[in-house]
Amino acid sequence: MFRKSIRQKIIGIAAGLIILAVITSILSMVLAGRVGHLLDELTGRYIPAYGHLARVNIKSLERSVALRRMMGARMMEAAPDQAAYTEQLKRFQDLDADVAREATAARQLINAIIEDPSTPSDNAALGRLDARIEATTTDLRRRVNEESARVIQRLDARDFPDAARMMAGVDQLRDEFDDRIDGIRADMLRQVEASASTVVGQQRHAIAISAAVTGIASVLGFVFAMLVGTGITRPVLRLLEGTREVEAGRLDQPISITTRDEIGQLSAAFNRMIERLRQNQRIRETFGRYIDPRVAEGLLDQPALAAADGQRRTMTVMFCDMKGFTTLSEGVTPQGLVKIMNLYLSTMSEPIHAHHGIIDKYIGDAIMAYWGPPFVDEAQQADLACLAAVEMVGRIAGLRKALPELLGVRTIPAECDLRIGIATGEALVGSIGSAFMMNYTVMGATVNLASRLEGANKLYGSRCLISQATAEAGAAVIEVREIDSIVVLGQTQAQTVFEIMGAKGRLTPEQELLRDRYGEGLAAYRAQRWDEARAGFAAALEVSPGDGPSLALVARIEGMKQNPPAADWDGAWKLERK
């Protein structure tokens, strides 16, 4: 099937409009030429013929005046003025030739009008005028000339009375001549007016036809342009509407293809693009279930995130582990264990997502997450991580209640709990891996410290331990208590660790008293005042009988008393295991 391109359609519109314009111009020129031809005849024949007849009349009157002056020159009493007589005689004779010439010119123009078949004229009336001019200027003029000659003879014979008598007859003939010429002029004037009326009518007719043709051409051109233009703009509007749908995220409406031109090809390409976008969206949705959606989005949309070089940035890293998972896994079926893990990971992942954290990976029952640029502002990362930890701890009660219902039992083999470790510091961020598989993650001492703090919860019987940098950065949103100074496995520098007790300003009086009593015991412990330290931790246990850090420090003091630390001891406790 022949396929017209947009260029061909536009050229077709232009060609059609040009053809209509040319037809209109040609018709206008033909009509204008017709009017011009009639106008030329009017100005070149009718009006000049009337002018010649008017001059015949004038020359006849001048000839009569010349004859009278001849009589006056002859009849002078003193002496005849022969010079004046001779001059007027010559003028009398010349004017007769002028009359004949003007009459002949008028007849020639009238005959030219009659002989021209290209113009409308009253040839019969014009023929009668020609005959009348001929009769008047030949027969009547001859009679006038004969009588005038006899008058001149009487003047030459100086027979003035007889000359005067004959002059009256000449005047009578001349009046008849002038009357006939006036009649002919009046009839000729009517022919001039008729020709002028024909010219005006033809001009109006030409204007009307030109206006009608121009209007028809304009309507046809507009209709033609609208038909072709609509054929071009309609698919463009559909394409624009489809683009807005895509911009709004709606990818389920392909564009109907109604043309086979470039716009049709563009629409087909647009539909292919929508299909590709739908595939990419499905990939992103699937990809986002295995990698945090923001990382997946960034890797797809921001090539800089996928760069293998990596960057050193201040990040906050969290490790979360399920306490009692080993015992729990031994007491349920594999299908039940999968249900437990899915519920546990979903429950604990929601606060991380809600506080803009990036879940790096699931390691069995453990969760690794981080906060920091480019996903959150560096100044907010510690606050968000600590608030997420507070919410995660707050969900433990609901999780404990939901697990038996999930398995359809009254109790589960082991009571679940959480251990969380959070550290803030410099880390290597970027795409790390091999040529076969990459992972956008964080690495470094900060990550190791967060993992060790999560494990240190086993030693202190706590739920959420954080580094000093995290405690200082998140001081505006959380309440903490200092737990101990430790050297984690794999590091040589002592780290002061803190426990998150709750959100800022929401501690109960018992929690505040526990923090104070524990702080007093910790200060005595670092000063190696063992009895005073034991008393402080005992006071803390009175406030909270099951306080894990107080129990751990009391047990440690007994060992310290039996095996005192070295003299240069700085109060730090070295962890021997993860």
Side-chain angles (χ1 to χ4, degrees):
M1 182 182 293
F2 179 70
R3 180 175 63 196
K4 288 185 178 180
S5 65
I6 296 177
R7 179 173 176 271
Q8 290 172 326
K9 291 179 179 179
I10 294 175
I11 291 175
I13 294 175
L17 294 176
I18 290 172
I19 291 173
L20 290 174
V22 169
I23 293 174
T24 304
S25 298
I26 291 174
L27 184 60
S28 298
M29 287 189 292
V30 171
L31 295 173
R34 175 69 175 168
V35 172
H37 183 58
L38 293 175
L39 190 60
D40 288 341
E41 184 180 62
L42 175 64
T43 58
R45 291 174 180 173
Y46 278 94
I47 294 177
Y50 180 82
H52 288 306
L53 292 174
R55 282 191 291 275
V56 167
N57 216 340
I58 294 171
K59 297 296 182 182
S60 176
L61 292 174
E62 290 179 351
R63 197 161 178 258
S64 176
V65 172
L67 183 60
R68 289 188 176 280
R69 287 178 178 176
M70 289 169 60
M71 289 183 66
R74 283 291 190 186
M75 296 172 67
M76 292 181 66
E77 295 181 358
D81 189 350
Q82 186 62 34
Y85 176 81
T86 303
E87 180 183 357
Q88 293 301 320
L89 177 61
K90 184 177 184 305
R91 179 171 176 74
F92 178 80
Q93 293 171 344
D94 291 342
L95 286 172
D96 182 60
D98 290 343
V99 169
R101 186 169 57 255
E102 294 292 344
T104 301
R107 291 186 62 197
Q108 289 176 347
L109 291 173
I110 291 172
N111 288 322
I113 296 172
I114 295 172
E115 293 171 357
D116 189 356
S118 64
T119 57
S121 58
D122 189 351
N123 292 337
L126 291 172
R128 288 192 295 270
L129 283 175
D130 179 58
R132 290 167 62 189
I133 294 171
E134 182 182 10
T136 302
T137 57
T138 54
D139 182 44
L140 189 58
R141 181 171 138 279
R142 178 182 57 79
R143 290 168 57 192
V144 171
N145 288 339
E146 289 175 352
E147 290 299 321
S148 297
R150 283 195 288 271
V151 170
I152 293 172
Q153 289 176 354
R154 295 293 94 194
L155 290 175
D156 290 340
R158 302 187 67 82
D159 186 358
F160 299 123
D162 193 27
R165 180 182 57 77
M166 295 178 67
M167 188 64 184
V170 171
D171 290 338
Q172 184 178 1
L173 289 173
R174 185 169 289 108
D175 289 341
E176 183 181 353
F177 178 85
D178 290 340
D179 289 341
R180 289 188 181 182
I181 292 298
D182 287 340
I184 293 171
R185 285 175 54 198
D187 291 342
M188 190 64 201
L189 181 60
R190 283 191 288 272
Q191 293 299 317
V192 172
E193 292 174 348
S195 178
S197 177
T198 301
V199 171
V200 173
Q202 289 290 330
Q203 187 178 29
R204 291 175 178 173
H205 183 64
I207 293 173
I209 293 177
S210 297
V213 172
T214 301
I216 294 172
S218 300
V219 171
L220 290 177
F222 178 76
V223 171
F224 183 54
M226 282 294 295
L227 290 175
V228 179
T230 302
I232 295 174
T233 57
R234 185 181 294 114
V236 171
L237 292 175
R238 283 198 298 266
L239 188 61
L240 177 60
E241 184 63 28
T243 303
R244 289 173 177 167
E245 291 290 320
V246 172
E247 184 180 15
R250 294 185 287 271
L251 306 176
D252 54 344
Q253 293 295 331
I255 298 175
S256 59
I257 301 173
T258 58
T259 62
R260 297 174 60 85
D261 54 18
E262 291 87 346
I263 296 179
Q265 298 174 35
L266 181 60
S267 299
F270 185 83
N271 287 338
R272 291 193 295 271
M273 181 192 72
I274 291 178
E275 180 60 29
R276 181 62 60 85
L277 288 174
R278 281 200 294 263
Q279 293 176 0
N280 289 344
Q281 189 177 45
R282 287 193 294 269
I283 291 173
R284 291 188 183 196
E285 290 174 354
T286 303
F287 198 26
R289 297 181 65 185
Y290 293 90
I291 300 176
D292 187 278
R294 280 174 295 167
V295 176
E297 191 80 18
L299 292 174
L300 290 172
D301 296 338
Q302 303 179 39
L305 288 182
D309 295 341
Q311 296 179 338
R312 288 199 170 276
R313 292 174 174 166
T314 299
M315 306 291 288
T316 297
V317 183
M318 171 194 284
F319 277 86
C320 172
D321 196 5
M322 184 177 183
K323 179 182 177 182
F325 175 73
T326 302
T327 304
L328 183 63
S329 63
E330 293 174 351
V332 298
T333 64
Q335 293 81 3
L337 183 61
V338 170
K339 292 181 180 180
I340 291 173
M341 288 304 301
N342 288 340
L343 177 61
Y344 158 72
L345 293 175
S346 297
T347 302
M348 296 305 159
S349 297
E350 287 176 1
I352 297 174
H353 276 289
H355 291 85
H356 310 293
I358 303 297
I359 295 178
D360 184 80
K361 61 178 68 71
Y362 295 125
I363 312 169
D365 62 324
I367 303 173
M368 175 182 171
Y370 58 86
W371 285 258
F375 306 107
V376 297
D377 187 71
E378 183 175 330
Q380 296 180 322
Q381 55 180 301
D383 293 351
L384 294 170
C386 293
L387 291 174
V390 171
E391 186 174 342
M392 291 166 71
V393 171
R395 293 193 175 201
I396 294 174
L399 182 64
R400 287 174 177 173
K401 181 180 179 181
L403 287 179
E405 296 177 359
L406 178 67
L407 298 175
V409 297
R410 291 186 178 182
T411 59
I412 55 177
E415 189 174 59
C416 69
D417 209 327
L418 285 183
R419 289 193 294 264
I420 300 174
I422 304 176
T424 301
E426 189 179 80
L428 177 65
V429 186
S431 296
I432 299 170
S434 66
F436 302 99
M437 184 174 181
M438 301 293 288
N439 183 27
Y440 189 84
T441 186
V442 293
M443 296 179 63
T446 300
V447 179
N448 182 63
L449 176 58
S451 176
R452 297 295 182 262
L453 291 178
E454 181 271 320
N457 284 291
K458 299 177 184 178
L459 174 63
Y460 293 99
S462 55
R463 283 177 172 167
C464 185
L465 294 179
I466 63 175
S467 68
Q468 183 175 357
T470 304
E472 293 173 352
V477 297
I478 55 169
E479 299 283 357
V480 298
R481 63 168 169 167
E482 185 178 350
I483 297 298
D484 200 359
S485 179
I486 62 175
V487 180
V488 300
L489 189 64
Q491 295 186 7
T492 58
Q493 295 294 325
Q495 300 283 344
T496 301
V497 296
F498 296 79
E499 180 188 27
I500 296 179
M501 300 184 73
K504 189 71 173 180
R506 294 189 179 181
L507 293 185
T508 64
E510 290 78 11
Q511 288 177 308
E512 292 180 354
L513 183 59
L514 172 63
R515 180 169 57 184
D516 295 340
R517 296 293 178 262
Y518 185 86
E520 294 170 358
L522 183 61
Y525 165 79
R526 287 175 175 166
Q528 301 185 35
R529 300 192 299 271
W530 309 122
D531 291 337
E532 186 179 339
R534 181 189 296 170
F537 294 130
L541 288 170
E542 290 178 2
V543 178
S544 178
D547 184 49
S550 298
L551 292 173
L553 268 294
V554 168
R556 188 187 300 173
I557 289 173
E558 296 301 325
M560 288 288 195
K561 291 180 66 175
Q562 296 177 8
N563 297 298
D568 58 351
W569 182 60
D570 58 359
W573 181 260
K574 187 174 183 180
L575 299 183
E576 301 295 338
R577 58 194 180 104
K578 296 181 180 179

